[in-house]
Amino acid sequence: MSATRATRAARHRMPGRLVAAGVGAVVIASVALVVALFAAGSQPRDLGGIGGPDLFISWLLPLLKLVSTLATVGCAGALLAAVVLLRIEGGPLGVQGRRAVRDASNSAIIWAVCAFANAVVTAAILLDTPVRLLRLRFDDALGVPEVKALLITGILVLALAIGIRRVQTSSAAGLGVLVAIAALIPTAVTAYPRNESYVVLAGAALVIHVIAATTWVGGLAGLVRYGRASRTGLPIVLERYGQVAYVSSVAVLASGLISAAGRLAAKGGGWGSILDPLTGDAYGALLIAKVAAFLLLIVLAALHRSRSQGDLLDAGLPFWRIVGVELFVMALALGLSVALSQTV
């Protein structure tokens, strides 16, 4: 009886706390983004031109990217929870699995809206044209690779949001995972300038980096969102997340180093000049900050695994406090990642 009451209490408490945690993550990531852009001198500026997009539109670009990134993480975390963390032998989704799928659909809608809005803003900035006049340059806008990538992402994610809304089995939700991964690829392969001499290496590594990082961060969010609803099931969910987090963290580290090395080599003019932009360039400074955040996440992950003992539904357990700090650092890292993508 006490276990049932604890489970119900956990279900009752989580929504309010999740809203607060979600708002906190958005605030932390936004502050990290803005501070990093100003620190690197990469903040949007009013160039004083006539006929181009204004400063507000320029600021929308990184902010939309940030919201899109957070929605992507939410979608990935919910899908990962439904397919892996909450997996039930036999295929049908349980109560929490169906809730996760609905959450993934809602996050995908936000992701799709941001992708389409970002396509419009990106076209306005790259074509130096006010948004209201983009209709006059429709063909030119569709010819921009970054715009096409965002439109493809938006279409895929919109299809994902509609397709998974009422799925009832983990195999059907698994198809949604494949679509979500496919939606991450177009923008990743166009993230670097088209004349980048190391674009193949850096771009390929970035695709893996984005997928692995989204899985890692989203998986932890899914653990917090859905894992605590069951006293008996939480240890199993935690064990499954540990396996996912281990593989994802290794992939994030390896792909991140390769992608960063390719970008630094391109900026420095060769592999032998990597240290110059790393130590004397705004991109290098943000990269070092992001690496520091990643190393802190590794330490926190080791700590929360060592503290996963006792009553895991106890909100006062050190385990959950460590997980909270881990989510805080992840939000910080997401803000730095978006700032890094805006720094040239």
Side-chain angles (χ1 to χ4, degrees):
M1 182 67 68
S2 59
T4 301
R5 285 198 298 268
T7 299
R8 289 175 179 172
R11 288 175 178 172
H12 178 72
R13 288 194 304 265
M14 284 302 286
R17 293 186 176 186
L18 283 171
V19 170
V23 172
V26 172
V27 171
I28 292 166
S30 300
V31 171
L33 169 63
V34 173
V35 171
L37 285 176
F38 276 100
S42 301
Q43 73 275 16
R45 294 181 175 85
D46 188 352
L47 300 178
I50 299 176
D54 56 23
L55 185 61
F56 173 75
I57 295 297
S58 298
W59 268 107
L60 273 182
L61 184 61
L63 293 177
L64 281 171
K65 283 185 177 181
L66 179 60
V67 176
S68 178
T69 299
L70 294 174
T72 302
V73 167
C75 180
L79 284 174
L80 185 65
V83 176
V84 179
L85 304 184
L86 303 172
R87 184 180 69 251
I88 298 176
E89 298 301 331
L93 295 173
V95 174
Q96 290 298 312
R98 292 193 296 272
R99 178 182 296 177
V101 166
R102 289 194 299 271
D103 288 346
S105 178
N106 293 335
S107 296
I109 291 173
I110 298 174
W111 182 6
V113 170
C114 287
F116 290 130
N118 214 342
V120 174
V121 172
T122 299
I125 292 175
L126 294 182
L127 296 178
D128 195 28
T129 303
V131 171
R132 68 180 185 279
L133 298 180
L134 276 179
R135 67 183 187 280
L136 302 178
R137 304 191 64 183
F138 185 75
D139 291 339
D140 293 335
L142 291 180
V144 177
E146 293 84 351
V147 174
K148 287 192 291 187
L150 286 165
L151 291 176
I152 292 172
T153 295
I155 293 170
L156 286 174
V157 176
L158 185 59
L160 172 67
I162 297 172
I164 66 173
R165 190 72 182 179
R166 298 188 182 279
V167 300
Q168 298 293 321
T169 64
S170 58
S171 58
L175 293 176
V177 173
L178 296 179
V179 176
I181 292 175
L184 290 170
I185 296 175
T187 53
V189 298
T190 58
Y192 291 116
R194 291 182 296 279
N195 61 350
E196 183 71 68
S197 59
Y198 299 89
V199 68
V200 175
L201 176 64
L206 184 63
V207 171
I208 299 174
H209 186 72
V210 169
I211 294 173
T214 302
T215 301
W216 186 14
V217 181
L220 184 60
L223 169 66
V224 174
R225 171 69 176 95
Y226 311 104
R228 293 184 66 188
S230 171
R231 180 185 298 273
T232 57
L234 181 56
I236 298 174
V237 172
L238 184 59
E239 180 183 358
R240 290 173 178 174
Y241 171 70
Q243 296 170 354
V244 171
Y246 177 77
V247 174
S248 298
S249 60
V250 171
V252 167
L253 176 60
S255 60
L257 290 176
I258 294 173
S259 180
R263 180 64 181 266
L264 290 172
K267 291 175 71 65
W271 291 110
S273 304
I274 288 180
L275 289 180
D276 293 335
L278 180 63
T279 57
D281 188 89
Y283 181 87
L286 287 182
L287 182 61
I288 292 173
K290 184 181 175 183
V291 170
F294 172 81
L295 294 177
L296 180 56
L297 284 174
I298 293 293
V299 174
L300 289 171
L303 278 176
H304 91 226
R305 281 194 297 271
S306 67
R307 296 300 182 94
S308 57
Q309 301 173 358
D311 184 1
L312 292 178
L313 287 179
D314 181 4
L317 192 70
F319 169 81
W320 290 111
R321 292 197 291 270
I322 295 171
V323 169
V325 175
E326 194 173 0
L327 286 172
F328 171 90
V329 177
M330 282 182 170
L332 186 67
L334 289 177
L336 290 175
S337 297
V338 175
L340 199 62
S341 70
Q342 296 294 110
T343 302
V344 295

